[in-house]
Amino acid sequence: MTSAVLSPAEQPRADWGGGVSPFGVSWQKLMMWFFLVTDALLFAGFLVSYAFVRLAAETWPKQTDVFPMVKIAAMTFILITSSATMATAVGAAHRKDLRRAMIFVLLTAIGGALFLAGQVTEWATLIAEGARLTQNPWGPPPFAAFFFMMTGFHGTHVLIGVILLGIVTVRLARGKATGHGVEIAGLYWHFVDVVWCFIFPLFYLL
Amino acid sequence: MEHVTSYRTYWVLWVVLLLLTVIMLVTEAAGLPRLVTVGVILLAMTVKVVTIGAWYMHLRYERLSLILSVVLGTFATAGALYFLLIPDGLAMHRLAQ
């Protein structure tokens, strides 16, 4: 039996055959997406363990009696607004309007810093009222433990995002940032907002 | 895949996201039946997440292979975790009563 040897140009093209990008994105963007998926699973683990403990507990405090909901709502509005400013920055960067991109990335970073300030004061208030990782005045110990764990991890992500956006702002000011770079930073920032979209209703409202 | 969305779209979606958040807050405060409250809040949460993912993160413009890897990869794993653990949580709740 004989088989014809095909030249590379004659061989059928397959996305998974190598040589082309199966996802159609740059490796930097793909790695950011993969990182976000793994990071999302970290938060999914938190939320599922929270649901487990909450279901198993005999009682659970009413969140609106513990948390200042007006402040939490304001923090949520700030984070959503920062997502809109980030999307605008990415759009501007893709249009090569680097000045507008820099302004909106800076506004996003300021939004993130305001959110963090709100979270710091929220932690300080609850700690002053007796909340600890192992106990709290409102009921089952896991209540405060989950509060500190989930908002702490999320807040750390916001802090990293603010630092990242600060770097992007400086790079845009120096004319070194690209639309692609701003977009990848934007993916991270929107992810932070998506995580809050889960934490806010599941932990504070329901 | 690079796709440029209009600025106006981003800010219209911002209004939608804010309104959904207000709906969540009002629903929680309205004292509706628990099932209705949970349903409305979870629905609003889902719409918010899809909006941010599809438009702000531009996922709707990406190839299906990337969309499925991200969405199915995350939610299938998280869903499996949920359905493996939650029955035990419910059983412990029944035992405690």
Side-chain angles (χ1 to χ4, degrees):
Chain A
M1 193 171 77
T2 59
S3 61
V5 178
L6 299 176
S7 70
E10 292 169 326
Q11 288 175 3
R13 286 173 63 84
D15 279 351
W16 297 97
V20 292
S21 167
F23 293 104
V25 293
S26 68
W27 67 265
Q28 295 97 327
K29 193 170 168 181
L30 186 62
M31 290 304 106
M32 176 54 86
W33 271 117
F34 282 180
F35 164 70
L36 296 181
V37 168
T38 58
D39 215 19
L41 292 177
L42 171 80
F43 283 100
F46 286 161
L47 288 168
V48 171
S49 59
Y50 166 70
F52 176 87
V53 169
R54 174 107 183 247
L55 282 172
E58 283 184 66
T59 60
W60 199 258
K62 187 164 170 52
Q63 296 96 319
T64 48
D65 295 340
V66 178
F67 301 113
M69 290 313 292
V70 174
K71 186 178 173 184
I72 306 298
M75 286 164 61
T76 305
F77 287 148
I78 288 169
L79 209 56
I80 290 171
T81 306
S82 76
S83 245
T85 54
M86 189 70 234
T88 307
V90 172
H94 278 310
R95 291 176 175 89
K96 314 263 186 239
D97 186 352
L98 295 187
R99 188 170 181 278
R100 187 194 288 251
M102 186 191 73
I103 291 168
F104 277 92
V105 170
L106 186 60
L107 287 173
T108 308
I110 291 169
L114 285 173
F115 178 89
L116 275 179
Q119 201 164 60
V120 166
T121 56
E122 189 194 0
W123 272 48
T125 305
L126 263 71
I127 289 169
E129 289 173 359
R132 301 289 184 273
L133 276 172
T134 53
Q135 61 180 24
N136 66 82
W138 305 287
F143 174 70
F146 273 106
F147 165 75
F148 286 123
M149 186 176 69
M150 289 202 287
T151 61
F153 266 89
H154 179 262
T156 306
H157 280 72
V158 176
L159 178 63
I160 292 168
V162 169
I163 294 168
L164 179 66
L165 294 177
I167 294 168
V168 173
T169 305
V170 172
R171 285 178 58 81
L172 280 166
R174 291 180 177 175
K176 289 184 177 176
T178 61
H180 190 59
V182 177
E183 185 182 358
I184 291 171
L187 282 179
Y188 177 83
W189 190 258
H190 295 310
F191 169 75
V192 168
D193 193 17
V194 166
V195 170
W196 189 253
C197 282
F198 284 101
I199 291 177
F200 172 63
L202 297 178
F203 188 77
Y204 287 98
L205 294 181
L206 293 179
Chain B
M1 190 183 298
E2 191 170 313
H3 184 97
V4 179
T5 308
S6 73
Y7 295 129
R8 188 172 179 276
T9 304
Y10 292 138
W11 289 95
V12 168
L13 292 174
W14 171 70
V15 173
V16 171
L17 291 169
L18 289 189
L19 285 176
L20 286 168
T21 307
V22 170
I23 289 170
M24 284 174 156
L25 289 163
V26 170
T27 305
E28 192 281 328
L32 299 168
R34 182 72 177 162
L35 201 61
V36 176
T37 305
V38 171
V40 171
I41 289 177
L42 290 185
L43 182 65
M45 179 188 84
T46 306
V47 175
K48 282 174 74 173
V49 169
V50 169
T51 303
I52 294 170
W55 275 275
Y56 283 181
M57 298 175 94
H58 293 176
L59 207 49
R60 66 195 294 260
Y61 304 117
E62 302 294 356
R63 278 194 192 174
L64 188 62
S65 55
L66 182 63
I67 297 169
L68 291 179
S69 298
V70 169
V71 176
L72 281 186
T74 306
F75 287 95
T77 314
L81 197 60
Y82 184 86
F83 287 107
L84 284 171
L85 286 176
I86 293 309
D88 280 352
L90 288 169
M92 287 175 72
H93 183 73
R94 280 194 294 272
L95 283 173
Q97 284 181 330

